[in-house]
Amino acid sequence: MSNENVLFQVEDDTLENRVQEDEGAGSRKHLIFTVDNLKIGLDAEQVVEIMNTYTATYLPMMPDYIQGIFNMRGQIIPIMDIRLRLGKPPAENGILIVLDYDNNQLGIQVDSVDLMLDIPNDSIVPIPSQSAQKLVSGMCTLPDGSGTMLVLDCEQLIAHGSFD
């Protein structure tokens, strides 16, 4: 697979340096993306790649939010449409974010990738609604004043959300 479709790729040594710099700083880098006008963030350490084009292979008898699988350099990765998982209508096009959480990889299709911000750890608070806690672990006001961000819970997304 060529790198022409890769928008962002994390190199292992860069990631280790970033983690060491952030330790004790009281904040973590979050990649912020948009799904149906919701700003959602996830820990930047869990991002492997961001791709603007990809080809999914359909899998029968899967939940509607599972678009299928794709081959990323020999590794088969399931693709989840976050819009459908959140009960929103599907979008025609999207950007794929490949996540790695605890050596489990998952691609999530989102509407757009906005920016990467340092979010102070103490600014993330629990969400008030119990229903959203299945996929969201917290929320915060963005430091740049651009709105509120929901924090995607990648552990729950991968452990309980991808193929149930």
Side-chain angles (χ1 to χ4, degrees), residues 112-163:
S112 65
V113 174
D114 295 340
L115 62 140
M116 181 123 26
L117 281 178
D118 253 338
I119 306 290
N121 294 336
D122 60 358
S123 70
I124 298 175
V125 297
I127 55 170
S129 169
Q130 294 293 333
S131 64
Q133 286 185 351
K134 192 170 189 180
L135 298 176
V136 177
S137 61
M139 60 187 287
C140 71
T141 300
L142 293 172
D144 65 359
S146 64
T148 301
M149 173 189 84
L150 301 174
V151 179
L152 187 67
D153 188 336
C154 291
E155 179 180 13
Q156 292 298 316
L157 187 70
I158 289 175
H160 303 292
S162 54
F163 292 107

Side-chain angles (χ1 to χ4, degrees), residues 37-54:
N37 295 322
L38 288 172
K39 289 183 186 269
I40 303 174
L42 60 93
D43 192 325
E45 290 181 28
Q46 298 166 343
V47 176
V48 176
E49 285 189 23
I50 301 171
M51 304 171 72
N52 58 3
T53 59
Y54 59 94

Side-chain angles (χ1 to χ4, degrees), residues 33 35 40-43 46-47 63 65-66 77-87 96-102 104-110 132-137 151-164:
F33 57 89
V35 174
I40 303 174
L42 60 93
D43 192 325
Q46 298 166 343
V47 176
Y65 54 83
I66 299 296
I77 298 173
I79 301 172
M80 177 189 294
D81 186 334
I82 290 291
R83 282 177 144 267
L84 293 173
R85 187 68 174 116
L86 294 174
L96 185 70
I97 301 173
V98 179
L99 308 175
D100 186 339
Y101 182 83
D102 201 25
N104 293 301
Q105 292 195 338
L106 174 69
I108 58 172
Q109 180 182 321
V110 302
Q133 286 185 351
K134 192 170 189 180
L135 298 176
V136 177
S137 61
V151 179
L152 187 67
D153 188 336
C154 291
E155 179 180 13
Q156 292 298 316
L157 187 70
I158 289 175
H160 303 292
S162 54
F163 292 107
D164 61 7

Side-chain angles (χ1 to χ4, degrees), residues 14-86:
T14 305
L15 181 61
E16 288 173 14
N17 291 339
R18 185 181 331 135
V19 170
Q20 290 172 356
E21 290 170 7
D22 286 348
E23 286 179 350
S27 67
R28 296 187 70 86
K29 289 197 181 299
H30 283 74
L31 177 69
I32 300 169
F33 57 89
T34 304
V35 174
D36 196 41
N37 295 322
L38 288 172
K39 289 183 186 269
I40 303 174
L42 60 93
D43 192 325
E45 290 181 28
Q46 298 166 343
V47 176
V48 176
E49 285 189 23
I50 301 171
M51 304 171 72
N52 58 3
T53 59
Y54 59 94
T55 303
T57 302
Y58 172 75
L59 291 176
M61 297 185 290
M62 287 284 130
D64 63 343
Y65 54 83
I66 299 296
Q67 290 183 329
I69 56 173
F70 86 108
N71 186 330
M72 186 175 82
R73 293 182 292 281
Q75 187 164 359
I76 303 301
I77 298 173
I79 301 172
M80 177 189 294
D81 186 334
I82 290 291
R83 282 177 144 267
L84 293 173
R85 187 68 174 116
L86 294 174

